[in-house]
Amino acid sequence: MATIFNKIIDREIPADIVYETDTVIAFKDVNPVASTHILIIPKKNIPTLNDINIKDTQVLAELLLVTTKIAKQMNVDKEGYRIVINCNKNAGQTVYHLHLHLIGGRKLNWPPG
Ligand code: AMP
């Protein structure tokens, strides 16, 4: 099912895009929880982490590689950052298109709430 993130991929709604390849795209979260809060998503429709399969290995690796590139680009790589994937309702997933949150720029609490 198409989500708001498909509209960002298709340029139907605006987003502050920070990185893009043929298979992934990254943009600033509209409601940031830290000074750096980027969403990294596959262009392919994968609703949740539960829906990945072996064919997605390459794109999943690319999501992580792109995340590390953006962390450097945003200058949070040395101080540190967190990657979050919310899966389904108990984790608070609100957009059913797989996405990694890259969160940094401040001290992050552990355990998360
Ligand atoms: P999650 O709760 O893990 O599903 O995260 C969804 C994230 O998408 C939230 O942090 C929202 O702030 C963010 N979000 C929703 N709509 C947009 C949008 N149009 N542009 C950028 N970020 C968005």
Side-chain angles (χ1 to χ4, degrees), residues 57-77:
T57 305
Q58 181 118 15
V59 74
L60 292 169
E62 193 178 352
L63 287 170
L64 283 178
L65 282 169
V66 164
T67 301
T68 63
K69 278 195 180 125
I70 295 169
K72 287 192 190 97
Q73 193 176 302
M74 298 286 164
N75 216 22
V76 295
D77 57 317

Side-chain angles (χ1 to χ4, degrees), residues 5-13 15-28 38-44 62-63 65-67 69-70 73-74:
F5 290 173
N6 293 95
K7 294 195 169 143
I8 290 174
I9 294 166
D10 295 339
R11 305 299 202 273
E12 285 170 22
I13 61 165
D16 197 339
I17 294 167
V18 298
Y19 200 93
E20 183 170 18
T21 70
D22 287 346
T23 46
V24 307
I25 188 166
F27 50 90
K28 290 188 180 172
I38 308 292
L39 301 174
I40 303 98
I41 73 170
K43 289 187 177 176
K44 176 185 174 183
E62 193 178 352
L63 287 170
L65 282 169
V66 164
T67 301
K69 278 195 180 125
I70 295 169
Q73 193 176 302
M74 298 286 164

Side-chain angles (χ1 to χ4, degrees), residues 4-5 8 13-15 27-31 37 39 86 92-95 99 101:
I4 194 151
F5 290 173
I8 290 174
I13 61 165
F27 50 90
K28 290 188 180 172
D29 195 296
V30 79
N31 190 20
H37 188 171
L39 301 174
N86 293 320
Q93 184 173 3
T94 56
V95 179
H99 52 281
H101 295 256

